[in-house]
Amino acid sequence: MREASGMADPLLDRDAATAALARVSAAAGPYLDSLAARPVHDPAAAKLLAGLAGPLPEHGDGTAAAVERLLEIGTATATASSGPRFFHFVTGGTTPAALAADWTAALLDQNAFARVSSPFAHEVETVVLDWLRQLFGLGAGWGGALVGSATFANFTSLGCATQWWGERQGADTVRDGLSGLPRMPVLSGGYVHASARKALQMLGHGRDTVEVFARDDVGRADLDGIEQRLAGLGGAPAVLIANAGEVNAGDFDPVDALAGLAERYGAWLHVDGAFGLFAALSPRTEHLMRGIDRAHSIAADGHKWLNVPYESGFALIREPQRLGTAFGMPGAAYLPGPQDPGGGYGLYGPESSRRARSLPIWATLAAYGRQGHRAMVERHLDLAQHLARRVDEAPELERLADVPLCIVCFRVARPGLAEADLDRWNRAVGEALIADGRVFCGTTVYGGRVALRPAIVNWRTTPADIDLFVDVVRELAARTGPDVTSP
Ligand SMILES: *Cc1c(COP(=O)(O)O)cnc(C)c1O
């Protein structure tokens, strides 16, 4: 299938781009249409993955053949994580406007490093950060940075917190690092996400620098414990992490109370709102985010509840000039500095060269506005309540937590079974769900018990998808139940 010889050089194949894009576009329609019904994962298709491998080609197949092969294998083997029944992790889809804008970002291939590399990308990012600020009801002074994920948003936020913490002690951590300083106190409840620890590990504080104050085995924050520790620091600066939307049940730390503690003791308050920040979009849930405007930094994801493609996260910072201080990159003669007119967002965050990930965010907010995104959030709130009802009605399902948001934490259960047997059964159901592929959901450990925790944040999801999910869980629970002897 090799094209005419010499096609291996892209310069000689340059006219192939239009046809290759047309092929992608032609494949897109059927793929998107299939999402409503196709399984999330087809284990039988995995054998096709071998078609990607082999030694590095000496002479390429040319644009058309390579793209065709990728499309064929990709559409057959990809998990349908942009479809309506991928309830594992917290996984958003991609709205039509966001998907088309993401293709546009690849077409234009801007380097969103600075104004000098792309005034267009810089302007879109400026608009988008202000729209996000307004979407979440934050005051006019807030700024931020678009990053690849909530992990990087935690990193960016806690990087600013580190710079602030050093400054409070007359140290310049940006220039000199952490050596010679005491350990930075970081306090949180038991809901603290692994990615906040990862951010602290990348920043040189170590992931175990987090002191966890939990009042139960689910992880609810022990505010008295946090306050006592703050009082015991004798005025030394500390960082508080509030968790707004934890991953097991979608519960919230009391952001407002933690903001009060931060103010009383002069601490930096960071809020990890990877998906929970979107509670601010609905009058039904905005109380969960009360106090958010008193935080110093907020981390959130675009690729979860905003329904834009990977990779998309953002950090919002109350004193945005700290971004340039913490992440500026002075000293290279060919680069602009953070305050230069030619500078830009590559100097206000951890990445330098970066794609224009603002485009899909701009497009989805331009296309659907505040009310469209509110409607999507509220539909997911309704679907989560619908799922909770279906769980409550099923005799062999036991809900383990309230459902404040978009996650339903439950397990299969039967009276009289020992906890260890229940854990084994629930793990078996989790594994069977992944192997089955009709719907997708993972297990967790909640309050010491193995549980399922479907998260609903995809714009395509309907009540029928939730019903199918419950039906499949019940079917697999019966098939893996404790009276079934394994082969
Ligand atoms: C998903 C999540 C993260 C990490 O997000 P990534 O986009 O995977 O980096 C952090 N915190 C919370 C609460 C999350 O749900």
Side-chain angles (χ1 to χ4, degrees):
M1 295 293 286
R2 181 84 33 92
E3 297 183 14
S5 67
M7 282 302 175
D9 183 338
L11 185 60
L12 301 173
D13 208 13
R14 71 186 137 197
D15 297 333
T18 313
L21 289 173
R23 267 304 291 134
V24 176
S25 179
Y31 181 75
L32 294 174
D33 289 344
S34 77
L35 286 173
R38 73 187 289 142
V40 176
H41 180 56
D42 175 10
K47 60 181 184 299
L48 297 175
L49 293 172
L52 299 165
L56 169 69
E58 201 54 45
H59 302 281
D61 287 341
T63 305
V67 169
E68 192 61 42
R69 182 144 56 107
L70 191 62
L71 276 175
E72 206 172 288
I73 298 173
T75 52
T77 60
T79 45
S81 48
S82 61
R85 288 178 306 283
F86 192 99
F87 303 119
H88 207 341
F89 312 110
V90 181
T91 303
T94 172
T95 63
L99 176 56
D102 202 63
W103 287 17
T104 308
L107 172 70
L108 301 176
D109 190 26
Q110 298 294 279
N111 183 354
F113 167 66
R115 285 183 197 83
V116 67
S117 56
S118 174
F120 164 65
H122 184 88
E123 180 62 18
V124 179
E125 186 154 350
T126 302
V127 170
V128 153
L129 285 165
D130 198 53
W131 282 1
L132 291 170
R133 176 190 70 72
Q134 294 178 50
L135 187 67
F136 302 115
L138 298 169
W142 284 73
L146 299 184
V147 291
S149 64
T151 299
F152 263 92
N154 278 329
F155 177 85
T156 305
S157 300
L158 293 168
C160 288
T162 301
Q163 184 273 327
W164 163 87
W165 170 78
E167 190 181 86
R168 287 282 316 272
Q169 310 173 75
D172 183 345
T173 59
V174 176
R175 190 187 58 206
D176 302 324
L178 303 174
S179 81
L181 293 172
R183 207 165 196 191
M184 183 172 88
V186 182
L187 284 53
S188 190
Y191 288 158
V192 63
H193 191 267
S195 72
R197 290 182 183 276
K198 179 172 176 174
L200 290 163
Q201 123 198 1
M202 292 192 286
L203 287 162
H205 298 292
R207 61 174 175 261
D208 284 351
T209 205
V210 184
E211 301 172 43
V212 170
F213 296 85
R215 62 184 159 87
D216 59 24
D217 59 359
V218 160
R220 292 182 182 89
D222 168 12
L223 290 181
D224 292 340
I226 291 175
E227 172 147 28
Q228 274 168 31
R229 177 70 176 126
L230 287 170
L233 285 169
V239 175
L240 295 184
I241 300 179
N243 305 287
E246 57 75 50
V247 291
N248 282 335
D251 195 17
F252 284 67
D253 285 337
V255 176
D256 209 33
L258 286 165
L261 287 181
E263 282 161 11
R264 200 162 323 135
Y265 294 94
W268 178 284
L269 176 63
H270 169 62
V271 178
D272 180 350
F275 61 95
L277 184 59
F278 288 77
L281 270 61
S282 170
R284 288 160 53 183
T285 46
E286 66 185 352
H287 62 279
L288 297 167
M289 290 305 325
R290 196 171 298 132
I292 186 70
D293 50 337
R294 295 159 71 196
H296 298 82
S297 58
I298 303 168
D301 259 322
H303 54 225
K304 288 177 181 168
W305 221 344
L306 191 62
N307 277 252
V308 303
Y310 294 102
E311 303 151 341
S312 185
F314 49 93
L316 300 172
I317 307 290
R318 199 207 293 178
E319 300 172 330
Q321 73 281 3
R322 288 202 188 273
L323 287 164
T325 308
F327 295 102
M329 193 169 44
Y334 79 108
L335 298 177
Q339 312 310 335
D340 287 355
Y345 292 101
L347 301 158
Y348 310 152
E351 297 157 285
S352 301
S353 296
R354 44 213 277 286
R355 81 195 306 265
R357 59 172 65 97
S358 57
L359 269 57
I361 302 177
W362 183 89
T364 202
L365 292 175
Y368 316 114
R370 189 195 294 276
Q371 294 308 332
H373 280 273
R374 168 183 157 180
M376 176 167 64
V377 163
E378 292 189 342
R379 191 162 62 249
H380 296 147
L381 298 176
D382 291 339
L383 289 169
Q385 295 304 324
H386 174 64
L387 174 52
R389 272 193 304 277
R390 292 287 322 263
V391 166
D392 293 346
E393 286 162 12
E396 80 283 31
L397 302 182
E398 176 191 12
R399 188 151 58 82
L400 298 180
D402 290 341
V403 181
L405 208 63
C406 57
I407 299 178
V408 181
C409 185
F410 71 99
R411 65 176 179 175
V412 299
R414 183 185 302 167
L417 275 186
E419 285 295 320
D421 291 329
L422 287 170
D423 284 352
R424 251 195 307 278
W425 188 11
N426 278 279
R427 280 199 200 289
V429 171
E431 282 162 22
L433 274 168
I434 301 291
D436 177 273
R438 279 175 288 172
V439 300
F440 238 52
C441 170
T443 56
T444 189
V445 177
Y446 184 76
R449 298 181 281 190
V450 175
L452 300 168
R453 47 152 310 282
I456 306 162
V457 291
N458 186 304
W459 67 275
R460 292 178 178 273
T461 305
T462 65
D465 297 308
I466 300 297
D467 290 337
L468 178 65
F469 172 75
V470 175
D471 294 345
V472 172
V473 168
R474 298 186 67 180
E475 178 190 318
L476 297 177
R479 206 189 291 165
T480 55
D483 6 79
V484 178
T485 42
S486 41

